[in-house]
Amino acid sequence: MKKAIRFKRKPLNINDITIIDDHKLRKAIIAAALGNAMEWFDFGVYGFLAYVLGQVFFPDASPSIQVVAALATFSVPFLVRPLGGLVFGVLGDKLGRQKILSVTIIIMSLSTFCIGLIPSYATIGIFAPLLLLLAKLAQGFSIGGEYSGAAIFVAEYSPDRKRGFMGSWLDFGSIAGFLVGAGLVVLLSSILGEVKFQDWGWRIPFLFALPLGLIGLYLRHALDETPAFQQHTDKLDNNERTNIANPPQMTFKEIFTKYWKSLFVCVGLVIITNVTYYMLLTYMPSYLSHNLHYRADHGVLIIIAIMIGMLFVQPMIGLISDKIGRRPFIVVGSFGLLVLAYPAFMMINSDVIGLIFIGLLILAVLLNCFTGVMASILPAIFPTSIRYSALAISFNISVLIAGATPTVAAWLVEASGDLYMPAYYLMVVAVVGLVTGLKMNETANKPLRGATPAASDRSEAKEILSDHFDSIEQKVEDIEQQIDTLKKQRQDLVDQHPKLD
């Protein structure tokens, strides 16, 4: 029998720990967050303009059907997001994160800009909603690689002990983009008046996407590739590095077989986070104005106030997660959503402004529990070589489910006449989040999977190295105790047998 060859692993030393340049880290966060902000800028504008877009592009339908149709146009592009995730994910693992993120922001900004140029149904008939759908599909395709790539970009640039805090700024950008979009809608509608705003003023927010996209492209193009991806390419042998566009790749079957638990965690986290997100920030404005009959601008102002509060909570949760871990926030947030969703909607339906605000605030804080840690969890559960493709595909398949939330919620309320249907919807999703939180492994203060540790400076690198050696010593001690216990058990068995000694 041939004896297996054992290769001795080299001890980790101070030079193996990546020191992250603080200036480059800040630039990476701004560049990534800006693209994410633009994505949610469009979501915010679209969600708050659903009633106007319904009148512009679906004028022959009843008011209820107009809202559902406009929200359906919002949801349909999620069908192509997995395709975008597949294309950009594979390319991101081959060519690098920086190049792909430059492409996605170009497509995203141009498609959003084009929505502001589409003539109304009254002008070109059926071609108006078809062009709107085409623009939304282009958005969906680009967004398929945007969030996953941005989360990976920030995570691979971040020190291990600060990844939660740094990652939280990505969804800070989401909330800020949504807030700017909603605020712009309110500002323009108040300045122009309802008639002018519905006639042509609604186009202005979409046109803002082009200059925002150009700024984002400039910032992303000026950045270097992430340290983790550079390490990955450096490990390839000379032959592979000469053909870096075609490194050895895992098949999707191998990814599903080997990393099924990571895929499960990704799907669960994305569903709980994005269903809550779309319910609160995309569907609720229409719910308040259409179902509860508040003036559209009143509902918008309440949501804007809630979102401003979310901006302050978001980085705090990321910072605390670096101290106590990410899992507690997923578990507590999911359990809170399970038990508080119905009471929150009781307050929202109370017809008392103060209680409406508290009900929405409860949902917002619970949403912060997810958004504050998701961007730091997801990139950490896949190795560098497949991180972009595995995360982008699983993320966007999950978003495909979550993206139907505004449409399904609106339909459920219309079909049943029950204003508490959104609460039941959130309670069901909360169970998914709770199971995910209980099953996932903690990722806080650990290197990205398959990567060497990363530190802010050499002093922190020395601490990480010391902690690493302490961990090894503790594991060796635990193994020695297990060996002693096994020896005692063996001796007890030997003593009971006359022919063993």
Side-chain angles (χ1 to χ4, degrees):
M1 183 175 177
K2 188 179 288 186
K3 188 175 181 180
I5 300 174
R6 180 178 179 274
F7 294 96
K8 187 175 181 180
R9 293 180 62 181
K10 291 173 57 179
L12 187 71
N13 64 65
I14 192 72
N15 295 323
D16 293 325
I17 298 176
T18 303
I19 307 298
I20 303 296
D21 184 279
D22 191 54
H23 178 65
K24 289 183 178 180
L25 173 59
R26 287 196 299 270
K27 287 175 63 178
I29 291 172
I30 293 171
L34 183 60
N36 215 38
M38 197 174 71
E39 172 189 347
W40 284 92
F41 172 85
D42 171 71
F43 285 172
V45 168
Y46 201 93
F48 283 95
L49 287 179
Y51 72 101
V52 176
L53 295 173
Q55 295 169 12
V56 172
F57 293 102
F58 308 98
D60 295 336
S62 67
S64 297
I65 298 302
Q66 284 178 354
V67 173
V68 173
L71 291 174
T73 309
F74 169 86
S75 297
V76 167
F78 286 86
L79 295 172
V80 299
R81 283 185 65 157
L83 178 61
L86 173 63
V87 173
F88 291 123
V90 172
L91 291 175
D93 283 333
K94 286 183 177 182
L95 305 177
R97 290 56 163 123
Q98 184 262 354
K99 293 183 179 66
I100 300 306
L101 285 175
S102 296
V103 173
T104 58
I105 201 167
I106 292 172
I107 300 174
M108 189 164 55
S109 59
L110 285 176
S111 56
T112 304
F113 175 77
C114 286
I115 293 177
L117 303 178
I118 300 173
S120 66
Y121 187 94
T123 304
I124 60 173
I126 192 65
F127 291 104
L130 289 177
L131 288 173
L132 175 64
L133 181 60
L134 185 63
K136 295 298 292 180
L137 288 172
Q139 276 184 343
F141 184 76
S142 64
I143 292 170
E146 173 60 33
Y147 183 88
S148 304
I152 290 169
F153 200 74
V154 172
E156 292 185 346
Y157 253 112
S158 299
D160 297 338
R161 294 185 176 184
K162 297 180 180 178
R163 188 167 290 118
F165 180 61
M166 299 305 174
S168 67
W169 291 102
L170 190 62
D171 280 293
F172 181 95
S174 303
I175 301 167
F178 203 103
L179 183 60
V180 171
L184 190 58
V185 170
V186 173
L187 180 64
L188 288 171
S189 61
S190 61
I191 292 174
L192 298 175
E194 190 170 345
V195 175
K196 289 183 179 178
F197 184 72
Q198 292 189 15
D199 186 29
W200 55 268
W202 64 269
R203 301 178 182 277
I204 296 175
F206 293 108
L207 300 179
F208 266 87
L210 187 59
L212 287 175
L214 292 174
I215 295 170
L217 177 62
Y218 169 77
L219 291 172
R220 290 182 176 185
H221 185 70
L223 280 169
D224 295 329
E225 189 51 79
T226 67
F229 188 79
Q230 288 176 345
Q231 283 181 7
H232 169 62
T233 57
D234 289 343
K235 288 179 182 177
L236 297 174
D237 62 36
N238 292 330
N239 182 51
E240 289 168 338
R241 270 189 275 143
T242 59
N243 192 18
I244 189 62
N246 294 289
Q249 293 287 317
M250 268 193 176
T251 65
F252 290 113
K253 181 179 180 181
E254 290 173 324
I255 292 175
F256 283 113
T257 302
K258 189 172 182 180
Y259 299 104
W260 64 270
K261 185 176 180 180
S262 296
L263 294 169
F264 165 81
V265 170
C266 180
V267 169
L269 286 180
V270 174
I271 287 176
I272 183 66
T273 303
N274 283 275
V275 167
T276 310
Y277 215 133
Y278 295 136
M279 185 71 78
L280 178 63
L281 301 182
T282 301
Y283 175 64
M284 286 309 298
S286 296
Y287 181 83
L288 291 171
S289 60
H290 178 70
N291 297 107
L292 302 186
H293 309 295
Y294 287 94
R295 281 178 51 187
D297 56 345
H298 284 180
V300 169
L301 288 173
I302 293 174
I303 296 292
I304 287 175
I306 293 295
M307 290 163 62
I308 291 172
M310 289 179 68
L311 286 177
F312 289 97
V313 176
Q314 177 73 14
M316 289 175 57
I317 288 180
L319 181 64
I320 296 170
S321 76
D322 284 327
K323 310 297 181 183
I324 68 171
R326 329 283 193 221
R327 290 183 68 223
F329 286 102
I330 301 300
V331 173
V332 170
S334 299
F335 182 75
L337 198 62
L338 180 63
V339 300
L340 295 177
Y342 190 85
F345 269 85
M346 288 180 65
M347 296 180 190
I348 292 168
N349 285 277
S350 67
D351 204 27
V352 178
I353 294 296
L355 290 178
I356 293 172
F357 184 84
I358 294 172
L360 292 171
L361 183 62
I362 290 171
L363 296 178
V365 172
L366 294 174
L367 175 57
N368 272 134
C369 289
F370 308 131
T371 59
V373 297
M374 185 172 73
S376 56
I377 294 174
L378 297 183
I381 60 179
F382 296 106
T384 308
S385 60
I386 62 162
R387 184 170 291 136
Y388 206 149
S389 52
L391 178 53
I393 294 168
S394 54
F395 182 93
N396 287 291
I397 290 174
S398 312
V399 169
L400 181 63
I401 300 170
T405 297
T407 306
V408 173
W411 178 81
L412 287 172
V413 172
E414 292 297 327
S416 67
D418 188 347
L419 293 176
Y420 289 93
M421 277 295 174
Y424 304 142
Y425 196 106
L426 289 175
M427 291 167 70
V428 171
V429 172
V431 176
V432 176
L434 194 57
V435 172
T436 304
L438 293 173
K439 293 291 184 181
M440 65 177 281
N441 295 324
E442 185 56 73
T443 61
N445 297 311
K446 296 179 181 178
L448 294 173
R449 191 166 182 174
T452 58
S456 300
D457 50 42
R458 195 167 180 84
S459 175
E460 187 177 283
K462 290 179 180 178
E463 292 178 11
I464 290 175
L465 192 62
S466 177
D467 290 344
H468 173 71
F469 290 145
D470 288 344
S471 174
I472 291 177
E473 290 169 7
Q474 183 61 52
K475 289 177 181 178
V476 170
E477 186 177 327
D478 291 342
I479 292 172
E480 288 175 345
Q481 290 178 354
Q482 292 174 18
I483 291 173
D484 289 340
T485 302
L486 289 171
K487 283 182 177 179
K488 291 177 182 178
Q489 292 176 356
R490 178 186 181 281
Q491 190 59 48
D492 286 341
L493 293 172
V494 168
D495 292 342
Q496 297 173 43
H497 196 289
K499 295 184 179 180
L500 293 178
D501 51 28

